[in-house]
Amino acid sequence: MARVKLLNVTKKFGKVTAIENITFNVNDAEFFAIIGPTGCGKTTVLRVIAGLETPDEGEIYIDDKLVNLVHPKDRDVAMVFQNYALYPHMKVYENIAFPLMVRKKELKLTNDDIEKRVKAIAKLLEIENLLDRYPSQLSGGQQQRVALARALVRKPKVWLLDEPLSNLDAKLRLQMRAEIKKYQADLNITTIYVTHDQIEAMSMADRIAVMNSGRILQIGKAEELYNRPEEVFVATFIGIPPMNIIPCEYVVKENRVLLKHSSFEFALEQQIAEKLIKSASSKEVMLGIRAEYIRVEKLKERGDIRGKILIAEMLGAEQLLMIELNGTIIRAKASSNIKFNIGEEVYLNFDWSKILIFDSKTNKLII
């Protein structure tokens, strides 16, 4: 087991800053995920931890040891790449054994020791019947298991995975998510997992870091990121569908503070109103609300906010509705038993206890 710490790490490629001032800690045996859109710097974070890139600024620690100048082979980390990076001319056994063979003297291993380790990890990953095949003779899922086995066979302190499931079909990704998490728990290994797929991260990780444009915006458990995003980007990146962000303004009227949109107005509780006035950079704010906290009604007397159905997508037991509110488009969920037609007028109720308010200028959470 090992702890990993990055402290104010920056990496540039020419004039492009790939990651900027990255700081986080990963605990012993923790499954830590980094998510964000393509090009946000996720893979660069892994590569500086692995030693494949040298940071321009900042410090990297593995088990409290500064490793900035430590050679990759001496950091005791193993990395699984997106394209698996298997050696096509080697059989599965040789691919898995390779990290041990190149360190045979250093690790004081015999051929029998290597064979035992290879067969043990192959059994764990259920590929012991594939040891005599070449990578070209394997399916995508089998190649993935070989790549995982090769990374784990030498029992590294830290396991780094760079979008390892992106080349698999949806059914196999679901299966491999569960299996990777099981291997990680069984081996009790510190793991840093990079993905653009929020479902992977939320279903597997103990904690998640959300990145954008080379920076970490928020770190927390899945439920924290979902329920209390600290920035608009996090709110709209986490969750399917993403959180609705509705431009509003607040006005003070007769000792009350109203949150106003062209389709509605809502009087805020005094404590919330006071915090809003104190913290907002202007009267223009953004209301955030998840689709499941919006109730859609057909009868005018049962809803406070009028809207128009744009799209109704059937998702099995429920449907996802895209609704227009005077030029603002939001998403809501409803039972699939109710038929909604394109262009139909509907009436909405918000669960006002579940709303969030963001600053329009800073995009930061206010309330």
Side-chain angles (χ1 to χ4, degrees), residues 144 163-168 173 176-177 180 193 200 204:
Q144 178 64 74
E163 305 215 34
L165 307 183
S166 61
N167 294 327
L168 304 180
R173 280 203 305 272
M176 289 303 299
R177 284 208 306 262
I180 288 175
Y193 187 102
E200 279 183 24
M204 298 168 72

Side-chain angles (χ1 to χ4, degrees), residues 90-103:
M90 293 183 182
K91 291 183 178 181
V92 168
Y93 180 95
E94 296 167 318
N95 265 281
I96 298 173
F98 185 78
L100 302 179
M101 293 299 294
V102 297
R103 295 174 177 83

Side-chain angles (χ1 to χ4, degrees), residues 285-329:
V285 295
M286 291 176 283
L287 180 153
I289 186 167
R290 294 283 180 194
E292 58 266 34
Y293 301 134
I294 300 174
R295 194 173 76 248
V296 184
E297 302 284 356
K298 285 178 169 286
L299 300 178
K300 184 176 182 179
E301 59 269 22
R302 298 183 65 178
D304 300 323
I305 304 168
R306 185 171 64 183
K308 182 174 69 175
I309 299 290
L310 297 180
I311 297 175
E313 298 178 334
M314 299 302 296
L315 303 174
E318 63 181 7
Q319 58 185 314
L320 181 63
L321 305 174
M322 189 175 292
I323 302 169
E324 182 185 6
L325 306 179
N326 281 355
T328 300
I329 297 173

Side-chain angles (χ1 to χ4, degrees), residues 46 55 57 69 73 84 90 96 112 133 140 162 170 186 193 215-216 218 230 249 253 280 293 303 324 327:
L46 281 196
E57 299 174 18
L69 301 179
K73 73 179 181 63
Y84 314 146
M90 293 183 182
I96 298 173
D112 285 343
R133 297 187 189 180
D162 185 11
D186 288 346
Y193 187 102
R215 291 177 172 270
I216 288 182
Q218 186 174 352
E230 294 176 359
E249 65 174 350
K253 184 178 180 180
Y293 301 134
E324 182 185 6

Side-chain angles (χ1 to χ4, degrees), residues 190-244:
T190 305
T191 299
I192 304 176
Y193 187 102
V194 156
T195 180
H196 65 276
D197 187 331
Q198 58 168 294
I199 297 177
E200 279 183 24
M202 295 178 77
S203 63
M204 298 168 72
D206 300 311
R207 288 187 302 143
I208 302 168
V210 181
M211 284 190 70
N212 190 37
S213 300
R215 291 177 172 270
I216 288 182
L217 302 183
Q218 186 174 352
I219 297 174
K221 295 182 181 295
E223 58 269 24
E224 294 169 352
L225 298 177
Y226 186 83
N227 292 316
R228 293 291 297 176
E230 294 176 359
E231 294 208 6
V232 169
F233 178 86
V234 179
T236 55
F237 192 81
I238 296 291
I240 300 176
M243 179 177 284
N244 294 301

Side-chain angles (χ1 to χ4, degrees), residues 18-85:
I19 56 175
E20 184 174 4
N21 200 32
I22 297 292
T23 296
F24 63 79
N25 294 283
V26 182
N27 301 317
D28 280 337
E30 184 177 22
F31 196 121
F32 186 86
I34 304 174
I35 65 173
T38 300
C40 73
K42 306 183 297 296
T43 295
T44 303
V45 172
L46 281 196
R47 291 179 66 84
V48 297
I49 296 171
L52 302 177
E53 303 288 352
T54 302
D56 296 299
E57 299 174 18
E59 299 171 343
I60 302 166
Y61 295 86
I62 297 177
D63 237 3
D64 300 324
K65 177 185 177 182
L66 181 65
V67 297
N68 285 46
L69 301 179
V70 175
H71 193 277
K73 73 179 181 63
D74 298 322
R75 296 193 182 193
D76 203 6
V77 303
M79 188 162 174
V80 178
F81 297 89
Q82 183 176 357
N83 63 357
Y84 314 146

